[in-house]
Amino acid sequence: MDIKVTNVDVAFIKEIDRKAAEISKNIGRKFSRNEYIKMLIQHDCELRLIQYKQDRFDQAIGNVAVTLDRQTEQLQEFINSNNRLFHLMATGKDIEEQTDKL
């Protein structure tokens, strides 16, 4: 697809040409103004996609953290109830009744 850009300040065009020439020097072949502008457009789109993916990933990590906290609480409740049950089986006395007297 073609894009035509008009009324661009000459200073910006010179800077684009300078950067394209610098890239040409680094890669050892002619790198045109057109290639440079295409690279900028692609890079901008990729950055937005990467940011979107990062935001989604951060949201997923937040959800996992909440789930892990809930599971930790549930596991602790299970451990506490097992400890209470084992104590009751071993002594015949409920731990909660003993803690109420303290």
Side-chain angles (χ1 to χ4, degrees), residues 1-6 8-9 12-21 23 31-45:
M1 175 180 278
D2 293 338
I3 298 174
K4 182 178 180 180
V5 181
T6 59
V8 179
D9 191 315
F12 295 128
I13 299 298
K14 286 181 181 180
E15 182 63 18
I16 290 170
D17 288 343
R18 186 191 68 73
K19 289 183 178 184
I23 293 171
F31 194 80
S32 68
R33 177 190 303 163
N34 187 55
E35 286 177 296
Y36 182 77
I37 292 171
K38 284 176 20 182
M39 181 183 71
L40 289 177
I41 292 169
Q42 288 173 330
H43 183 68
D44 184 64
C45 292

Side-chain angles (χ1 to χ4, degrees), residues 6 12 17-19 25 30 50 57-58 64-66 69 72 75 77-78 80 84 86 89 91 93 95 97 101-102:
T6 59
F12 295 128
D17 288 343
R18 186 191 68 73
K19 289 183 178 184
K25 183 179 172 185
K30 175 83 169 111
I50 290 169
F57 179 77
D58 291 344
V64 168
V66 168
D69 288 342
T72 301
L75 182 58
E77 287 178 20
F78 178 72
N80 292 344
R84 183 176 170 200
F86 292 143
M89 289 170 51
T91 65
K93 296 180 183 177
I95 292 176
E97 291 175 3
K101 293 177 185 176
L102 297 175

Side-chain angles (χ1 to χ4, degrees), residues 80-100:
N80 292 344
S81 68
N82 280 346
N83 287 340
R84 183 176 170 200
L85 178 62
F86 292 143
H87 186 270
L88 179 62
M89 289 170 51
T91 65
K93 296 180 183 177
D94 192 350
I95 292 176
E96 284 192 7
E97 291 175 3
Q98 292 176 352
T99 58
D100 289 341

